[in-house]
Amino acid sequence: MAQTFVSSTGITGITQGITVAELWRLTLNKTSSGDITSNLSRETQSGYGSINAGMTESSGIFTFSQNGIWSVTFTACFEESSGGNDQARFGILYTSNNSSYSYYAKGFSGLTDPPNEFAQTDNIEYMFDITDTTNQKVKFDIHEMNANNVLLGVPINQSQRMTGFKFMRLGDT
């Protein structure tokens, strides 16, 4: 919860800024289209910095810890192992009723084969006004990916982060 500060001059209503900032990652490769429902972990590597734990995750569904304006970013790192002119599409889905999800952001990676293996990283982002943490949630998916493409995940014991998710609570709603 944001704190309200009162200055010595009597100015009120100033609230604290960012109160949550954290990263999550995909820990194993995903080789098919569909919701990302497993192999997700909060970042823990040496040198990683965060502000409070803000999200919980169950079967790929992320729950916000508190009301406020939240920025959500999906960084997708795709690799094409063979073939040519492949593409991958990915999205951030949102529900306001803890049931029906809709796309609020979509991304597209156009993978070409110059000449054998190619990788590309793309980001999508959306800002959500969260007023009901019980019912407002997000999840992520790959809604189109050819058979020879891979969404890259990296085990938590390795230092690099390939595909990941960033959650930042920017302020009060």
Side-chain angles (χ1 to χ4, degrees), residues 1-73:
M1 177 163 241
Q3 298 175 353
T4 301
F5 297 95
V6 179
S7 74
S8 61
T9 60
I11 298 172
T12 63
I14 299 170
T15 59
Q16 195 172 333
I18 295 172
T19 56
V20 176
E22 68 177 348
L23 299 176
W24 287 68
R25 68 160 62 188
L26 182 66
T27 60
L28 291 174
N29 291 347
K30 182 168 176 52
T31 58
S32 61
S33 297
D35 289 349
I36 300 171
T37 60
S38 61
N39 304 312
L40 296 163
S41 176
R42 186 176 281 117
E43 188 62 66
T44 60
Q45 293 304 307
S46 174
Y48 165 67
S50 65
I51 301 171
N52 299 319
M55 304 300 290
T56 56
E57 178 270 332
S58 177
S59 299
I61 295 173
F62 286 85
T63 300
F64 298 91
S65 61
Q66 56 187 291
N67 292 343
I69 305 299
W70 287 79
S71 174
V72 177
T73 304

Side-chain angles (χ1 to χ4, degrees), residues 92-106:
I92 300 172
L93 294 94
Y94 164 82
T95 181
S96 62
N97 62 11
N98 197 22
S99 177
S100 302
Y101 284 83
S102 300
Y103 286 103
Y104 271 63
K106 287 185 176 182

Side-chain angles (χ1 to χ4, degrees), residues 69-96:
I69 305 299
W70 287 79
S71 174
V72 177
T73 304
F74 180 179
T75 300
C77 185
F78 294 100
E79 181 178 57
E80 176 198 31
S81 58
S82 64
N85 298 325
D86 292 332
Q87 56 188 335
R89 298 173 193 265
F90 57 107
I92 300 172
L93 294 94
Y94 164 82
T95 181
S96 62

